[in-house]
């Protein structure tokens, strides 16, 4: 039988959802805020009787499929969905692969950093979002395929324009070590993901360096707090590198900033103006 905690949680979440939130007409004679029980049941594709029993702590523990329907109907966040599963005594379903959707608030944050280059990277080092300065400092990611936006693949397999491995960063060996560690963790979190397994297999088959790092079996790697990009237009750009973990998405926001008043700050200002233009090539 379901517990009172699950029943209370369902009631509280039902009360905060308005009909307009889920595309239903408001109608008249709603004595209490939120959706009616029959509306939640309809959205979750279960019977009203069964849902009523859940809210009254009289029903059997719901299945994983029912919980998925309830989470969808009640517009639960990832944390709330996991909590719902725990209340029902069911382990949350493991995500099939690294999440790629970026929260709108993170997209807004990245765009609001005019003098910082910033990207949002997935658990397998795919660049999911970036601002204009990041594109000017590294590459125009909008012109690259999804495959070529993966920094792990770029670090080990290229391409390396002008002989600059991974945009000429000074810590490329350290980054390569961190990639092996990060992908090992991703394999453990997403054991059934063809994308993760495929990337690891591709790197193992195409890079002796990756084979060596992978076989070393390290599970921790130091992060570089300062690095230098060798840029073809403005020369060396030394930046501080800060990484913010986005735990609920298994993503990272990487922010590159230069010391105030430094030549690198001036270089970033210039890049913010010229963007991804190639001023060394005549039109």
């Amino acid at each position: 039988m379901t517990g009172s905690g699950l029943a209370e949680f369902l009631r509280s979440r039902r009360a905060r959802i308005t009909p307009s939130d889920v595309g239903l007409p408001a109608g008249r004679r709603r004595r209490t805020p939120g959706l009616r029980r029959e509306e939640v049941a309809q959205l979750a594709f279960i019977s009203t009787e069964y849902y009523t029993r859940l809210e009254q702590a009289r029903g059997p523990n719901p299945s994983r499929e029912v919980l998925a329907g309830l989470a969808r109907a009640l517009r639960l966040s990832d944390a709330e969905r996991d909590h719902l599963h725990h209340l029902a005594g069911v382990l949350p379903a493991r995500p099939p692969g690294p999440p790629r959707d970026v929260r709108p608030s993170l997209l807004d944050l990245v765009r609001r950093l005019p003098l910082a280059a910033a990207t949002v990277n997935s658990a397998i080092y795919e660049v999911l979002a970036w601002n204009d300065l990041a594109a000017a400092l590294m590459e125009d990611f909008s012109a690259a395929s999804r495959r070529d936006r993966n920094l792990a693949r770029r670090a080990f397999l290229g391409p390396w324009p002008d002989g600059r491995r991974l945009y000429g960063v000074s810590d490329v060996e350290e980054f390569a070590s961190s990639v092996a560690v990060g992908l090992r963790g991703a394999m453990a979190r997403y054991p059934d993901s063809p994308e993760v397994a495929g990337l690891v297999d591709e790197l193992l088959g195409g890079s002796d360096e990756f084979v060596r790092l992978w076989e070393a079996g390290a599970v921790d790697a130091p992060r570089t707090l300062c690095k230098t990009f060798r840029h073809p237009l403005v020369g060396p750009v030394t930046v501080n590198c800060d990484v913010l973990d986005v735990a609920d998405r298994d993503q990272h926001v990487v922010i590159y900033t230069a010391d105030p008043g430094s030549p690198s700050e001036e270089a970033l200002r210039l890049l913010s103006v010229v963007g991804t233009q190639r001023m060394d090539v005549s039109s």
Side-chain angles (χ1 to χ4, degrees):
M1 301 293 287
T2 55
S4 59
L6 175 61
E8 181 180 353
F9 185 71
L10 291 174
R11 290 194 298 268
S12 67
R13 294 308 180 267
R14 176 168 63 87
R16 74 176 185 178
I17 302 293
T18 65
S20 61
D21 290 334
V22 294
L24 294 175
R28 299 180 179 179
R29 299 180 181 179
R30 287 185 180 266
R31 295 188 296 271
T32 57
L35 297 178
R36 298 187 176 100
R37 286 174 175 169
E38 58 267 27
E39 291 170 333
V40 175
Q42 178 184 2
L43 292 169
F45 299 104
I46 59 178
S47 70
T48 301
E49 178 185 2
Y50 179 40
Y51 180 75
T52 300
R53 293 174 64 192
L54 291 177
E55 278 205 1
Q56 295 175 347
R58 295 188 298 109
N61 287 335
S63 66
R64 192 185 299 276
E65 291 74 17
V66 169
L67 292 172
L70 291 172
R72 182 179 60 252
L74 295 172
R75 299 298 193 267
L76 300 186
S77 67
D78 291 345
E80 290 171 330
R81 183 198 61 217
D82 290 348
H83 185 60
L84 175 70
H85 280 73
H86 288 305
L87 289 173
V90 178
L91 288 176
R94 190 193 302 269
R100 299 187 66 254
D101 56 313
V102 180
R103 288 205 305 264
S105 59
L106 289 179
L107 295 174
D108 188 54
L109 169 66
V110 167
R111 295 191 184 105
R112 287 173 180 265
L113 299 172
L115 289 181
T119 64
V120 181
N121 302 339
S122 76
I124 57 172
Y125 299 92
E126 179 186 348
V127 179
L128 303 174
W130 57 90
N131 62 8
D132 291 341
L133 190 51
L137 178 63
M138 290 179 275
E139 71 170 308
D140 184 2
F141 293 107
S142 66
S145 66
R146 178 184 169 188
R147 173 185 174 81
D148 287 341
R149 289 200 297 268
N150 186 286
L151 300 181
R153 186 178 285 112
R154 294 293 293 270
F156 289 101
L157 304 180
W160 303 335
D162 305 320
R164 296 180 306 122
R165 182 183 179 189
L166 200 66
Y167 319 116
V169 292
S170 57
D171 68 330
V172 66
E173 289 81 9
E174 291 84 355
F175 178 76
S177 297
S178 70
V179 166
V181 171
L183 291 182
R184 187 176 301 279
M187 285 279 285
R189 294 191 300 278
Y190 310 103
D192 301 322
S193 170
E195 183 178 24
V196 177
L199 176 60
V200 171
D201 287 344
E202 183 181 355
L203 297 180
L204 287 172
S207 169
D208 292 339
E209 180 185 9
F210 185 78
V211 171
R212 175 179 57 80
L213 292 169
W214 187 259
E215 291 180 347
V219 294
D220 188 26
R223 285 179 174 172
T224 303
L225 301 180
C226 182
K227 65 178 68 183
T228 299
F229 287 84
R230 188 159 48 92
H231 195 277
L233 259 108
V234 298
V237 183
T238 300
V239 291
N240 302 304
C241 178
D242 292 288
V243 181
L244 310 179
D245 293 333
V246 186
D248 64 319
R249 288 289 190 274
D250 199 8
Q251 296 168 356
H252 302 90
V253 181
V254 185
I255 303 174
Y256 302 107
T257 56
D259 289 337
S262 67
S264 292
E265 184 186 44
E266 290 304 312
L268 288 182
R269 288 184 184 275
L270 176 59
L271 286 175
S272 70
V273 174
V274 302
T276 57
Q277 299 178 52
R278 290 293 305 271
M279 296 182 64
D280 55 338
V281 177
S282 59
S283 56

